[in-house]
Amino acid sequence: MIKFCNLFSGSSGNCTFVSSKNTKILVDAGVSCLKISKALAELDVSLDEIDAILVTHEHIDHIKGITTIVNKYHVPVYASEKTWKMMDSLKVPDAYQLTFEPNNIFNIGEFNIYPFSIPHDAADPCGFSLSCENKKITIATDMGYIDNTILEQMEKSDILLLESNYDVETLKCSPYPFFLKQRISGKNGHLSNDVAGKAICHLCQRGVNNIILGHLSKENNFPELAYQTVLNELKQLDLSCNLSVANRDKIDDVLELA
Ligand SMILES: [Zn+2]
Ligand SMILES: [Zn+2]
């Protein structure tokens, strides 16, 4: 049985739990060790049991808890070489610094992991597909746009956590300075609800059924707005899927793939 649970999502911190019978993985650890430990306790999991943390990129909302987790619980951390260079200040002991090469498959316990490059303003940002027992889970947040390679990578996912960061109109009207608006909506920024919706239609037509909208902006989006925008896109094409929005500050329901 594969389990998936989004623990935290958004610019205040990201962390996702994925497990099989014998392997437990966190993707990102962008909130405090204490918060992650409490969230995992709700799933009856201790940080001691985590086999690895996969890091998508070096922004603080993805790495905040790492140093304490490593020091307290001795969990190995996987990141690309370029990302490790940017995380020098975390002072993770060498023994726990493991590397992967983007766009090359590797294994952690029972999972095959495929890190795929995504466009974002970080050194070497990646999404991840985690596969086990013929099931595939894909996590793709923090990207300015989706090209065909990324879209293909997300196909055939049994569960997809996809960024739906901002609403175009809300961002336009927000008090953010112009340069920041440009950054967010630029090709190395974040995905809008509209773009996420279009991608989801494509994926839904190819059988992706469980989709969670994640990494919503607190200032430039609303959960209901993201949900409705994507739902409207789906309705226009007479499509439907199991769509939900990731909670920011508390854990979501666990999804199980038998
Ligand atoms: Zn982020
Ligand atoms: Zn980021």
Side-chain angles (χ1 to χ4, degrees):
M1 163 109 56
I2 309 298
K3 290 185 184 179
F4 170 96
C5 183
N6 174 68
L7 305 179
F8 300 95
S9 190
S11 44
S12 48
N14 297 275
C15 185
T16 306
F17 172 77
V18 180
S19 72
S20 63
K21 188 163 178 264
N22 296 307
T23 308
K24 297 180 175 68
I25 293 174
L26 293 180
V27 176
D28 289 328
V31 296
S32 72
C33 174
L34 185 64
K35 277 190 176 174
I36 292 173
S37 147
K38 281 183 178 167
L40 284 173
E42 292 186 45
L43 307 176
D44 277 328
V45 174
S46 156
L47 270 166
D48 282 321
E49 302 170 62
I50 299 295
D51 295 288
I53 299 170
L54 305 178
V55 178
T56 57
H57 65 296
E58 69 274 17
H59 289 161
I60 191 70
D61 55 318
H62 299 262
I63 65 168
K64 190 177 174 189
I66 282 177
T67 308
T68 313
I69 293 174
V70 172
N71 290 338
K72 261 182 132 167
Y73 298 97
H74 310 109
V75 181
V77 181
Y78 289 74
S80 81
E81 212 165 301
K82 286 183 196 163
T83 301
W84 272 122
K85 280 204 178 107
M86 302 300 290
M87 299 196 297
D88 219 25
S89 60
L90 295 186
K91 304 224 176 321
V92 171
D94 285 352
Y96 298 97
Q97 281 193 31
L98 292 141
T99 46
F100 61 74
E101 279 205 37
N103 312 307
N104 280 286
I105 213 160
F106 66 102
N107 293 309
I108 296 172
E110 294 168 334
F111 281 95
N112 279 330
I113 318 279
Y114 185 76
F116 53 97
S117 297
I118 51 174
H120 188 55
D121 56 354
D124 199 11
C126 288
F128 293 107
S129 288
L130 296 88
S131 304
C132 177
E133 295 172 15
N134 277 328
K135 304 289 180 199
K136 173 174 161 184
I137 292 171
T138 302
I139 295 167
T141 64
D142 300 71
M143 51 186 169
Y145 62 93
I146 303 178
D147 63 17
N148 284 339
T149 312
I150 299 170
L151 209 50
E152 269 171 37
Q153 184 52 39
M154 295 194 290
E155 287 173 11
K156 300 200 175 75
S157 298
D158 295 282
I159 297 173
L160 169 67
L161 172 63
L162 180 67
E163 164 163 72
S164 192
N165 184 264
Y166 67 95
D167 171 65
V168 174
E169 292 306 316
T170 311
L171 178 65
K172 267 187 204 159
C173 303
S174 90
Y176 275 23
F178 182 69
F179 80 89
L180 199 51
K181 292 184 187 185
Q182 294 285 93
R183 196 219 127 206
I184 292 167
S185 60
K187 66 181 177 48
N188 287 322
H190 291 280
L191 287 188
S192 69
N193 297 337
D194 294 332
V195 173
K198 296 228 160 36
I200 287 169
C201 287
H202 172 98
L203 294 166
C204 192
Q205 284 168 324
R206 282 154 187 82
V208 180
N209 198 35
N210 291 306
I211 300 174
I212 302 125
L213 306 176
H215 211 296
L216 269 68
S217 163
K218 231 178 214 170
E219 290 78 17
N220 305 310
N221 211 351
F222 303 92
E224 189 58 26
L225 181 57
Y227 182 80
Q228 280 304 332
T229 305
V230 174
L231 200 64
N232 288 344
E233 298 264 4
L234 287 165
K235 273 186 183 162
Q236 278 179 23
L237 297 175
D238 242 350
L239 297 167
S240 70
C241 68
N242 181 15
L243 181 71
S244 61
V245 180
N247 284 310
R248 284 192 191 105
D249 306 318
K250 63 182 181 76
I251 75 166
D252 284 343
D253 292 340
V254 179
L255 292 177
E256 292 179 348
L257 300 169

